[in-house]
Amino acid sequence: LWEHAMGRVFANLFRNSAQARRDAQVDITYAESDGQVICLIMDDGPGFGAAILRTDWTRWPEPTKHLGLTLAASTLHAHGGRMVLSNHEGGGALVDICLPSAQSAATAVGQ
């Protein structure tokens, strides 16, 4: 279940990059430490607009707009994670994700 949910999160974020720019280059880096997975997704598209950066995605402000971002944020939140959106210096979008690792999530459910 966790793996399926995270697959949907990343599919929505990749789709968002492709919609912003069809030929967007997407780079992903990740690390696991102390039961947390930190993942950075960076693309070379136009970046996020100011209204998107000001939105609190944990409140799902407009469920009919930006559905991919809303679903990604709500899924991460439901699994104990978070998503922070920004633009990086070189131009393009940056999505910073932090969530419990699959092993940590399974251990918490079993307790």
Side-chain angles (χ1 to χ4, degrees):
L1 181 62
W2 187 90
E3 290 86 358
H4 177 73
M6 292 309 111
R8 289 178 49 211
V9 165
F10 285 91
N12 281 314
L13 294 173
F14 296 151
R15 191 174 302 113
N16 191 70
S17 287
Q19 288 173 343
R21 185 172 138 195
R22 264 186 185 257
D23 62 344
Q25 166 97 21
V26 179
D27 295 314
I28 304 164
T29 58
Y30 68 94
E32 186 173 1
S33 177
D34 297 325
Q36 297 285 309
V37 175
I38 308 299
C39 180
L40 298 175
I41 302 171
M42 186 168 52
D43 71 28
D44 64 350
F48 293 114
I52 290 175
L53 294 176
R54 285 193 306 267
T55 300
D56 178 359
W57 292 99
T58 62
R59 295 176 188 247
W60 314 291
E62 296 180 63
T64 59
K65 291 179 79 178
H66 308 294
L67 188 57
L69 293 175
T70 301
L71 290 171
S74 63
T75 301
L76 288 165
H77 183 74
H79 286 86
R82 61 136 177 93
M83 174 179 83
V84 177
L85 305 178
S86 62
N87 293 319
H88 60 88
E89 291 178 15
L94 178 62
V95 180
D96 180 357
I97 294 172
C98 179
L99 65 150
S101 68
Q103 184 175 0
S104 293
T107 301
V109 170
Q111 292 180 352

